[in-house]
């Protein structure tokens, strides 16, 4: 091999060596890139958890909004309170009556539940000026008691609210009276508001103006 050929070969090998990066250097860059990607991924919060928190916050806002928008019960509103079924039913009913009177409501205790259809409830409510009907069921098991209170709308004739309370038989009626109003008040307010709305199909009374004089007409032959 001539001297010129040797020089060309050495030059070519040197250029190739400079162009190719060291294998260790390339691996180091790849490792750093992977570590950076993992760090970024760990910092970003999971989408599912963030969405769940946002939904819970919306639900809480909706509940607060509904509570704020619910009308207050109208003082002097009339409610029919039927006898309560079951053991200790009368004791629980007396607590409910006392609570209603203390809040300015006027319970009707003489009416009996002798209705079969929502239409009958609506017609009776309209005739007696009732905003709703209250009834309940009480059950006793040894020393424990449970009471369920129902509210039926006078405007629709349908049950619109219920709540169940349970506890020691000797204390349940008193404990129920302490917490019932806060749970019951929004439903009673809506029943009062619905009763104040014009009833569909209601007709205004016919009015006759009896003071208008009749025109005199000439008789035949006059």
């Amino acid at each position: 091999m001539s001297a010129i050929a040797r020089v060309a070969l050495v030059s070519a090998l040197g250029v190739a060596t400079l162009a190719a990066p060291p294998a260790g250097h390339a691996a180091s860059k790849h490792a750093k890139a992977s570590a950076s990607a993992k760090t970024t991924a760990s910092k970003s919060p999971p989408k599912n958890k963030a969405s769940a928190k946002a939904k819970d916050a919306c639900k809480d806002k909706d509940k607060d909004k509904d509570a704020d928008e619910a009308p207050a019960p109208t003082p002097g509103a009339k409610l029919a309170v039927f006898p309560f079924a079951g053991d200790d039913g009368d004791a629980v009913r007396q607590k409910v009556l006392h609570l209603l009177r203390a809040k300015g409501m006027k319970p009707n205790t003489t009416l009996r539940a002798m209705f079969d259809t929502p239409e009958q409830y609506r017609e009776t409510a309209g005739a007696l000026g009732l905003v709703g009907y209250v009834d309940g069921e009480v059950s006793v098991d040894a020393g424990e008691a449970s009471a369920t209170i129902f509210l039926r709308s006078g405007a629709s004739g349908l049950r619109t609210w219920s709540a169940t309370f349970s506890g020691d038989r000797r204390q349940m009626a008193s404990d129920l009276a302490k917490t019932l109003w806060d749970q019951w008040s929004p439903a009673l307010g809506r029943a009062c508001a619905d009763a104040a709305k014009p009833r569909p199909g209601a007709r205004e009374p016919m009015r006759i103006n009896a003071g208008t004089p009749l025109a005199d007409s000439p008789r035949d032959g006059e």
Side-chain angles (χ1 to χ4, degrees), residues 18-52:
L18 293 174
H25 182 68
S28 176
K29 284 186 177 180
H30 180 70
K32 289 181 179 180
S34 300
S36 176
K38 290 180 180 179
T39 303
T40 303
S42 63
K43 289 182 179 180
S44 60
K47 293 183 178 180
N48 293 337
K49 291 184 178 180
S51 300

Side-chain angles (χ1 to χ4, degrees), residues 1-13:
M1 181 181 293
S2 62
I4 296 173
R6 290 194 189 97
V7 171
L9 180 60
V10 171
S11 298
L13 291 174

Side-chain angles (χ1 to χ4, degrees), residues 54-68:
K55 289 181 179 179
D56 292 339
C58 291
K59 288 181 180 179
D60 293 338
K61 288 182 180 179
D62 291 340
K63 289 181 180 179
D64 295 339
K65 184 178 179 182
D66 292 341
D68 294 338

